């Protein structure tokens, strides 16, 4: 339909992926911060901190991948808008 944004769905997807990436990137931070306090000192505290650090790294890697996917969705939206502008549909 004329006037419809042909890239709207891709732009929305990109926005949602960026929001999800932001949440995932920091999901482990509060637990790791707590585990680094003196209150967490116990026999297996170092093991817990090591595992949380590994999970933090995995979460950040997942967030990076989501941001790459968001960038791809932004590019798709841009390409669709440009193609529609060339044909006069947008």
């Amino acid at each position: 339909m004329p006037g419809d944004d042909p890239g709207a769905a891709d732009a929305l997807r990109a926005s949602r992926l960026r929001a999800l990436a932001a949440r995932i990137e920091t999901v482990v931070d509060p637990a790791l911060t707590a585990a680094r306090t003196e209150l967490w000192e116990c026999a297996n505290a170092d093991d817990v901190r090591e595992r949380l650090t590994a999970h933090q790294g995995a979460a950040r890697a997942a967030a990076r991948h989501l941001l790459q996917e968001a960038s791809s969705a932004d590019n798709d939206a841009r390409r669709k808008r440009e193609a529609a502008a060339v044909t006069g549909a947008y």
Side-chain angles (χ1 to χ4, degrees), residues 15-46:
S15 175
R16 289 180 175 172
L17 285 168
R18 281 191 295 275
L20 179 59
R23 291 181 65 190
I24 288 175
E25 186 173 32
T26 60
V27 73
V28 180
D29 293 354
L32 187 55
T33 298
R36 289 179 174 155
T37 66
E38 288 183 25
L39 296 173
W40 269 72
E41 290 308 320
C42 61
N44 67 343
D46 288 336

Side-chain angles (χ1 to χ4, degrees), residues 17-19 21-22 25 62-72 74:
L17 285 168
R18 281 191 295 275
E25 186 173 32
R64 279 192 306 274
H65 292 297
L66 287 170
L67 290 173
Q68 289 172 348
E69 189 63 29
S71 178
S72 177
D74 279 333

Side-chain angles (χ1 to χ4, degrees), residues 71-90:
S71 178
S72 177
D74 279 333
N75 288 336
D76 290 344
R78 180 185 45 78
R79 280 192 294 274
K80 287 177 183 177
R81 287 172 178 150
E82 288 173 353
V86 168
T87 62
Y90 178 65

